[in-house]
């Protein structure tokens, strides 16, 4: 295992669906331990970018390395954790928080082997990280939207991934829940977890994100620090004002 390699290394990459590119010409290097916000308007391609890294969108061209291995040769997909953009976990089937989190371990063992003590400990530890150990036996449909989002984060964490990819983790929950979620992400970042966070709500992640990537019309239009992004937005607003006048 090459632990000195970047977490992610993309060169002239295109991702898309059914052979049609949605994002193109992506050059991006993510070092281990970085926390990156991926911003952009609806339909810009930011979700396609992260789904491409997870194998959920087609890799159409360019070179992609994940944790030192070409994307197509990454055998252990549990090294990447994924929190999808979902507002609730209600699916008509009753399940406890711990049962949902335990599904994150299914890919780590043969289908016929039952969970072991170490698996149960991993589930408990993941729920502890997100502050829900006391809700382990609660049905998820009795939890608030913010608590359900934390259950999804715990499910992504239970296999101890090296990179955590999240799609709008703070969207659709109240401000109090956003604060709690931000605290969880702060803790993960402080522990050295590499994170790629698709978001519209940068304010909720202030002090957590150390780098911002902006996607617009399928291209990277900014890559830099939060301070640099504020200046980028100021220049864009000035430019838009000139065009309108």
């Amino acid at each position: 295992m090459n632990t000195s390699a970047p977490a992610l290394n993309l060169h002239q990459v295109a991702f898309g669906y059914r052979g049609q590119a949605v994002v193109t010409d992506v050059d991006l290097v993510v070092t281990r331990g970085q926390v990156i916000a991926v911003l952009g308007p609806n339909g810009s391609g930011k979700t396609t970018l992260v789904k491409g890294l997870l194998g959920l969108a087609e890799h159409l061209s360019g070179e992609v390395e994940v944790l030192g291995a070409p994307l197509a040769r990454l055998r252990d997909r549990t090294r990447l954790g994924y929190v999808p953009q979902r507002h609730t976990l209600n699916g008509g089937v009753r399940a406890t928080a711990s049962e949902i989190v335990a599904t994150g371990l299914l890919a780590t063992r043969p289908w016929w082997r039952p969970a072991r003590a170490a698996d149960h400990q991993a589930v408990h530890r993941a729920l502890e990280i997100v502050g829900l150990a006391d809700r382990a036996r609660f049905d998820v449909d009795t939890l608030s939207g913010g608590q359900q989002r934390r259950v999804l984060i715990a499910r992504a964490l239970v296999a101890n991934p090296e990179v955590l990819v999240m799609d709008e983790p703070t969207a659709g929950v109240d401000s109090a829940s956003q604060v709690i979620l931000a605290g969880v992400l702060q803790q993960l970042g402080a522990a050295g977890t590499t994170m790629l966070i698709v978001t519209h709500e940068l304010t909720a992640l202030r002090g957590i994100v150390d780098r911002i990537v902006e996607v617009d019309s399928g291209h990277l239009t900014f890559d830099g620090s939060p301070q640099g992004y504020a200046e980028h937005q100021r220049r864009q607003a000035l430019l838009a004002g000139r065009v309108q006048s």
Side-chain angles (χ1 to χ4, degrees):
M1 185 185 302
N2 184 5
T3 57
S4 64
L8 304 169
N9 192 350
L10 287 70
H11 178 64
Q12 291 293 289
V13 169
F15 292 126
Y17 307 96
R18 296 180 294 277
Q20 297 296 314
V22 175
V23 289
T24 59
D25 302 323
V26 175
D27 289 306
L28 181 67
V29 178
V30 178
T31 58
R32 295 178 189 241
Q34 281 193 316
V35 180
I36 297 180
V38 182
L39 307 181
N42 289 333
S44 63
K46 58 186 185 297
T47 294
T48 299
L49 172 61
V50 297
K51 283 189 172 182
L53 296 169
L54 296 160
L56 302 175
E58 294 176 18
H59 175 203
L60 299 172
S61 64
E63 300 173 7
V64 182
E65 287 191 353
V66 178
L67 299 166
L71 180 60
R73 297 181 192 170
L74 184 66
R75 303 300 181 202
D76 185 0
R77 294 284 174 159
T78 64
R79 297 173 72 190
L80 297 176
Y82 177 45
V83 182
Q85 184 182 3
R86 292 180 62 182
H87 295 293
T88 70
L89 281 166
N90 297 334
V93 177
R94 293 188 62 179
T96 66
S98 61
E99 286 170 340
I100 293 293
V101 173
T103 64
L105 289 171
L106 292 178
T108 67
R109 65 176 188 266
W111 65 267
W112 43 263
R113 180 172 70 75
R116 296 175 176 173
D119 296 323
H120 295 301
Q121 291 167 4
V123 169
H124 179 74
R125 187 164 53 248
L127 283 167
E128 272 191 327
I129 290 172
V130 301
L132 289 176
D134 61 338
R135 298 289 192 273
R137 296 181 182 272
F138 283 51
D139 283 351
V140 291
D141 61 2
T142 68
L143 303 180
S144 70
Q147 288 172 330
Q148 290 188 24
R149 197 65 56 83
R150 282 188 277 157
V151 170
L152 287 172
I153 293 173
R155 184 179 69 179
L157 290 173
V158 70
N160 198 27
E162 295 171 59
V163 178
L164 188 58
V165 178
M166 288 174 276
D167 196 352
E168 301 283 3
T170 61
V173 297
D174 58 55
S175 57
S177 294
Q178 285 192 1
V179 171
I180 295 171
L181 283 163
V184 171
L185 300 182
Q186 181 89 56
Q187 178 185 353
L188 292 171
T193 303
T194 306
M195 289 185 277
L196 209 60
I197 307 172
V198 174
T199 185
H200 280 99
E201 298 166 337
L202 190 57
T203 301
L205 302 176
R206 183 172 289 124
I208 301 169
V209 168
D210 49 37
R211 182 176 165 194
I212 292 172
V213 171
E214 182 187 72
V215 183
D216 198 357
S217 300
H219 298 278
L220 296 193
T221 52
F222 178 84
D223 183 357
S225 68
Q227 296 79 11
Y229 185 67
E231 177 61 23
H232 168 73
Q233 286 184 302
R234 189 185 70 82
R235 288 195 303 269
Q236 293 299 104
L238 288 173
L239 181 60
R242 292 195 193 102
V243 170
Q244 290 174 3
S245 62

